[in-house]
Amino acid sequence: MRGILRFGSRTILLYIAAAFVVGLVASYSVIPAPDSPKFQSEEGILDLTQVHVSENPLKLAGEWEFYWQELLSPEDIQIRSKRDGINNRWISIPNSWLGYRLDDQRLKGTGYATFRVVIELSEQDRNERLALRLPTIFHAYKLWVNSELLAEVGVVGRDKSRATPHLATKLVFFQPESDRVELVMQVANFHHNRGGITKYIELGGSDVLTVRTNLKIAAEMFITASLLVIGVYHLLLFALRRKDRAPLYFGLFTLLFGIRSLLVGELLLTQLWPTFPWELQFKIEYLILCSSGYIITLYSECIFPNYVSRWFHLGSRIVTGAFCIVVVVTPAIIYTKMLPIIGVMVVLHMVYLMVGLIQAAVRRREGALIFLLVSVVALVTVINDFLYYNEWSRIGNTSPLGLLVFTIAQMMLLSSRFTRAAVNEERIARELQDANNKLTEMNMNLERTVQDRTHALSAAHDDLRVSYDRLLHSEEGRKKLLAYITHDLRMPLSSMLGYVEAVQDRVKPERNEQYLKYIQDNTIRINRMIEELSFLSHLETGQVSYRMEPVHVIHFLRDFFEQYELVVRDAGLNFMLDIGDGEDQRSNLPVVEMDAQRLEQALFNLVSNAMKFTSRGGVVRISLAVDEAKPTRYAIISVQDSGTGIPPDQLEQIFYRNYRYDRPDAETGVEGSGLGLAICREIVQAHGGAVRAESDGKTGSIFYVSLPCIVELRA
């Protein structure tokens, strides 16, 4: 702002003067001059005997009879005239009764009244078919012409509960029966700040007024359709390219004012949709007016960045939001009183933006001068509309036309920006295409070399991968074995070291032989653990090979039972095999593809585990069952003991390598290494099977080994 106020250059003065002069001239050229009625009624009488209204329509203006807080029909007025004489209260039309002085007090905008005027026609007009063009009248009315009810908009009532508001323009026709025409109109308003006949009523020939009305409707439809199409078009542009927000704000601004043009003037919306709620109609119109300044601010900021102050932007958002909230939550009788304030807010927005446009024009920003000129046109039409709706101007609704001029100019500005961007993109695309062709040629020469080198590297990589996998398996086995030995041998070695120190220190010489026996047992146990740990580490790293072949499960179990029967019985246990009667005579026997030696080792670990934790005189039972589940059959081998069982909450842990559970009532006294079940699980899983355990913790345990069957062989 200081930079503008400190100008001293003739160039700046010329820009400012040219902008305002051209803008004002353009605006006045698009605004029609009002027709000031030459003939006005006096004390309710309008003398038109010297004019032919059938050819030259006339706007009715002047004094009408005024009956405040009375709803009188033509018959009621005639009766009163005969009884009381001539009425001595008149009101100037068009005008609102708001502020009208009656009996030393000024009237409010709400209430109801009756208006009457008598028109004296010329001799030529008596035989012509005439028409009255009725504007929007706040907020409901009835019209009688020569005691005939010709128009009724809304419902006229004496209070708010009995009155129904509505807005509509009307064109009514009548045939004069004499040289006098009496107009009587009842008007009621309880929902708007201003009530009464606030706009001109036109009288003229039916054909002439019909043509005029149709032309006005056509002009408003053209403007409305243009605004709506331009708005939707720019919103679609933004949807396709969201990086630039200028089309969004411009399209939203244009679309909203296209909608507003349906709600003013000839009220195209109510003509298409007569039952449209008047309250919603007013709220939409006022919301568009309240938000227009903020939206055009956002648009200007996109077109000319850094010309809108951050504080103005924030203040505009707060004030606009506050006005919109008031319009939404309050009735029309309240927010219509704010129309002058809303007008001031919109005008201040436009004036502030025009100051920024002057800066942009002085700095020769592209499109700034055109933007400034059309903004002056739009500003003049908007100011006229606010004056018109506040009854301070007789020029009709002009903002749609001014906004159309503004919109077309902005559309041209945005189109030039899009065109320039498209040209730049085409130039860049050509440059990129040339560079891409050169790179493609270079790439084709490199591809051959790369392919040759790739084949060589691929072969070397495969060799290295095989060697690496072998080394990795070996290293994993070594690490696991070292970890197992470190973890599992620490305790027995510590125990042996304690016994050796006890012998050396002669703690109890009489027990030296017992200590040496402990050392011998632990040494045997450590050797066995080292073998098991080594085997388990090889199993877990996949270094154990299997010789798989189809084997009858029944034959396998018979051989296993015969091999280990004496071992189990020597431990003082009963050893039983349960495979049913006459199994060898069945036509189909379960066959499993297995490494019999490895699977025998797994099964022996289960039997050994049962022997270890079953008291003398107990039973170890091996059983076979076949699960006929589709599509794969499973041979299920179970090993059952009669010990005290395993607690149910530990059944999931017993197959882990470090798990040990010593049953307190076992008589064997053998301490397990915790590796047998882990080895069993690894072997069974390598055969595609699974192992699990069941126990209630009291009556023994059952271990199940499930192995998938292959196609059965004949016995």
Side-chain angles (χ1 to χ4, degrees):
M1 291 292 295
R2 291 181 179 178
I4 295 176
L5 295 177
R6 293 176 181 175
F7 62 82
S9 170
R10 291 185 178 181
T11 305
I12 299 177
L13 289 173
L14 289 175
Y15 270 121
I16 297 175
F20 278 93
V21 170
V22 176
L24 289 173
V25 171
S27 62
Y28 279 112
S29 66
V30 300
I31 298 177
D35 297 331
S36 299
K38 298 179 181 179
F39 299 90
Q40 297 190 7
S41 57
E42 296 181 1
E43 296 185 356
I45 304 295
L46 178 59
D47 185 4
L48 298 180
T49 56
Q50 303 302 318
V51 63
H52 303 308
V53 293
S54 58
E55 298 177 358
N56 300 305
L58 185 71
K59 294 181 179 179
L60 303 184
E63 296 177 342
W64 289 39
E65 294 181 18
F66 184 57
Y67 301 89
W68 177 243
Q69 298 294 74
E70 294 183 276
L71 296 178
L72 304 177
S73 66
E75 292 77 9
D76 296 333
I77 294 176
Q78 291 178 4
I79 295 173
R80 176 174 294 191
S81 298
K82 293 178 181 179
R83 184 187 63 196
D84 301 333
I86 301 174
N87 178 62
N88 59 357
R89 289 180 180 173
W90 300 276
I91 187 171
S92 295
I93 297 300
N95 203 354
S96 171
W97 63 56
L98 175 64
Y100 178 77
R101 183 175 293 277
L102 181 67
D103 297 334
D104 296 330
Q105 64 178 356
R106 294 189 178 275
L107 301 182
K108 298 181 179 179
T110 57
Y112 56 93
T114 302
F115 301 84
R116 178 178 180 269
V117 68
V118 176
I119 303 172
E120 296 179 351
L121 299 176
S122 64
E123 187 174 342
Q124 178 182 350
D125 292 332
R126 298 173 189 173
N127 301 320
E128 297 291 337
R129 189 167 183 263
L130 302 180
L132 287 171
R133 185 175 179 275
L134 303 173
T136 55
I137 297 175
F138 297 117
H139 226 174
Y141 68 89
K142 286 183 177 180
L143 173 66
W144 285 268
V145 178
N146 291 336
S147 301
E148 180 182 359
L149 181 64
L150 291 186
E152 183 174 4
V153 174
V155 177
V156 178
R158 299 180 185 276
D159 53 44
K160 187 175 182 179
S161 62
R162 288 184 285 182
T164 302
H166 190 65
L167 288 179
T169 59
K170 289 280 187 178
L171 186 64
V172 297
F173 305 95
F174 64 95
Q175 182 69 45
E177 298 178 355
S178 63
D179 58 353
R180 292 172 62 89
V181 175
E182 179 191 40
L183 304 183
V184 176
M185 181 175 288
Q186 296 177 358
V187 180
N189 171 59
F190 297 97
H191 301 81
H192 196 274
N193 182 43
R194 293 177 293 111
I197 306 173
T198 59
K199 300 174 185 178
Y200 284 114
I201 298 175
E202 290 188 69
L203 172 65
S206 60
D207 295 338
V208 177
L209 281 186
T210 299
V211 171
R212 284 191 180 185
T213 302
N214 291 338
L215 287 176
K216 288 184 179 180
I217 293 176
E220 289 195 6
M221 290 181 65
F222 171 75
I223 294 174
T224 302
S226 300
L227 293 174
L228 293 176
V229 170
I230 294 172
V232 172
Y233 171 75
H234 284 84
L235 290 178
L236 292 176
L237 282 182
F238 171 74
L240 297 175
R241 187 175 182 269
R242 299 192 177 186
K243 185 177 181 180
D244 186 7
R245 290 183 175 269
L248 169 64
Y249 299 130
F250 178 68
L252 187 61
F253 176 82
T254 308
L255 183 65
L256 289 177
F257 272 91
I259 295 173
R260 180 181 177 272
S261 64
L262 294 171
L263 307 174
V264 297
E266 295 297 322
L267 298 176
L268 299 178
L269 182 63
T270 55
Q271 293 190 30
L272 298 173
W273 190 354
T275 59
F276 191 82
W278 70 270
E279 178 71 22
L280 181 59
Q281 176 180 341
F282 261 88
K283 285 187 182 294
I284 293 175
E285 180 184 355
Y286 274 72
L287 286 175
I288 292 174
L289 289 176
C290 292
S291 60
S292 60
Y294 181 66
I295 296 175
I296 201 64
T297 301
L298 295 176
Y299 170 68
S300 301
E301 191 174 11
C302 292
I303 298 296
F304 303 109
N306 304 323
Y307 283 94
V308 178
S309 167
R310 182 169 62 90
W311 295 108
F312 181 83
H313 190 282
L314 178 61
S316 174
R317 180 187 301 176
I318 295 174
V319 173
T320 300
F323 274 111
C324 290
I325 292 174
V326 171
V327 171
V328 170
V329 302
T330 60
I333 191 66
I334 295 178
Y335 64 76
T336 53
K337 297 178 181 179
M338 301 189 305
L339 184 60
I341 303 176
I342 295 174
V344 171
M345 179 186 70
V346 175
V347 171
L348 287 178
H349 273 84
M350 299 187 69
V351 171
Y352 179 86
L353 294 177
M354 289 172 64
V355 173
L357 289 173
I358 294 174
Q359 285 183 311
V362 170
R363 296 175 184 177
R364 299 183 182 277
R365 294 292 301 273
E366 182 182 2
L369 187 58
I370 296 177
F371 200 153
L372 179 61
L373 295 178
V374 297
S375 296
V376 173
V377 176
L379 177 61
V380 172
T381 57
V382 169
I383 291 176
N384 174 76
D385 269 17
F386 280 107
L387 296 177
Y388 173 70
Y389 286 111
N390 283 281
E391 302 179 22
W392 298 331
S393 171
R394 292 305 174 193
I395 301 176
N397 184 42
T398 58
S399 61
L401 181 58
L403 290 173
L404 180 61
V405 174
F406 177 82
T407 300
I408 293 175
Q410 298 307 314
M411 183 178 64
M412 295 172 61
L413 177 61
L414 290 178
S415 299
S416 65
R417 293 182 58 183
F418 273 97
T419 302
R420 186 170 61 255
V423 171
N424 291 334
E425 289 179 0
E426 291 176 357
R427 177 179 55 80
I428 294 173
R430 286 195 301 268
E431 294 175 355
L432 290 176
Q433 183 64 39
D434 295 338
N436 183 64
N437 293 336
K438 294 179 181 179
L439 290 174
T440 301
E441 185 177 354
M442 295 174 60
N443 185 54
M444 292 176 63
N445 295 330
L446 290 175
E447 281 183 357
R448 300 185 185 91
T449 304
V450 171
Q451 287 178 356
D452 296 339
R453 299 292 176 85
T454 301
H455 289 311
L457 289 175
S458 179
H461 178 268
D462 292 340
D463 294 339
L464 287 175
R465 172 59 65 182
V466 173
S467 301
Y468 174 76
D469 290 340
R470 292 175 181 173
L471 181 61
L472 183 62
H473 285 301
S474 177
E475 179 65 16
E476 288 180 355
R478 185 188 67 80
K479 288 181 179 180
K480 284 195 174 184
L481 179 59
L482 180 60
Y484 292 163
I485 291 175
T486 302
H487 180 272
D488 292 337
L489 299 186
R490 182 177 299 163
M491 183 177 294
L493 287 176
S494 299
S495 177
M496 290 173 61
L497 181 59
Y499 291 144
V500 171
E501 291 176 351
V503 173
Q504 288 178 344
D505 297 339
R506 300 181 182 276
V507 177
K508 291 185 178 181
E510 68 278 6
R511 301 186 64 178
N512 284 349
E513 184 176 354
Q514 183 180 0
Y515 291 158
L516 292 174
K517 180 66 169 61
Y518 288 159
I519 294 172
Q520 181 183 12
D521 292 341
N522 277 331
T523 302
I524 296 172
R525 181 168 173 264
I526 289 172
N527 287 333
R528 186 174 66 252
M529 288 178 62
I530 291 174
E531 292 177 357
E532 292 179 344
L533 286 171
S534 176
F535 183 64
L536 180 59
S537 66
H538 283 78
L539 285 173
E540 292 178 343
T541 56
Q543 299 183 56
V544 176
S545 60
Y546 293 87
R547 297 177 59 185
M548 310 295 285
E549 58 183 358
V551 176
H552 288 283
V553 180
I554 293 178
H555 297 167
F556 169 75
L557 292 180
R558 283 188 182 278
D559 294 340
F560 179 84
F561 179 79
E562 293 173 357
Q563 181 177 354
Y564 293 101
E565 182 179 11
L566 293 178
V567 176
V568 178
R569 294 190 185 280
D570 288 344
L573 302 174
N574 294 322
F575 194 32
M576 303 177 63
L577 176 64
D578 184 7
I579 56 177
D581 297 331
E583 292 290 342
D584 290 340
Q585 283 72 38
R586 294 198 316 177
S587 58
N588 292 321
L589 299 177
V591 177
V592 174
E593 189 172 7
M594 68 172 73
D595 184 332
Q597 182 179 356
R598 300 296 185 194
L599 200 58
E600 178 183 324
Q601 180 181 359
L603 197 59
F604 178 73
N605 285 350
L606 295 178
V607 173
S608 176
N609 185 74
M611 294 169 56
K612 187 185 306 180
F613 297 106
T614 302
S615 303
R616 297 181 64 85
V619 177
V620 177
R621 182 190 303 274
I622 299 179
S623 302
L624 173 65
V626 178
D627 186 0
E628 299 291 344
K630 299 297 182 182
T632 304
R633 300 175 66 218
Y634 282 88
I636 302 176
I637 303 172
S638 61
V639 178
Q640 182 179 5
D641 64 64
S642 59
T644 57
I646 304 171
D649 59 343
Q650 300 185 28
L651 291 175
E652 296 292 333
Q653 307 173 22
I654 60 176
F655 294 101
Y656 294 139
R657 183 184 60 80
N658 296 323
Y659 176 81
R660 294 183 182 87
Y661 173 65
D662 298 327
R663 301 182 220 197
D665 57 346
E667 298 178 358
T668 59
V670 180
E671 182 182 0
S673 64
L675 300 174
L677 294 181
I679 292 173
C680 175
R681 182 184 62 176
E682 293 293 335
I683 293 175
V684 172
Q685 289 180 350
H687 283 75
V691 60
R692 62 185 180 87
E694 290 183 358
S695 177
D696 59 1
K698 299 178 180 179
T699 58
S701 305
I702 305 177
F703 289 82
Y704 295 96
V705 176
S706 301
L707 299 170
C709 296
I710 61 175
V711 179
E712 290 81 352
L713 301 175
R714 293 288 181 180

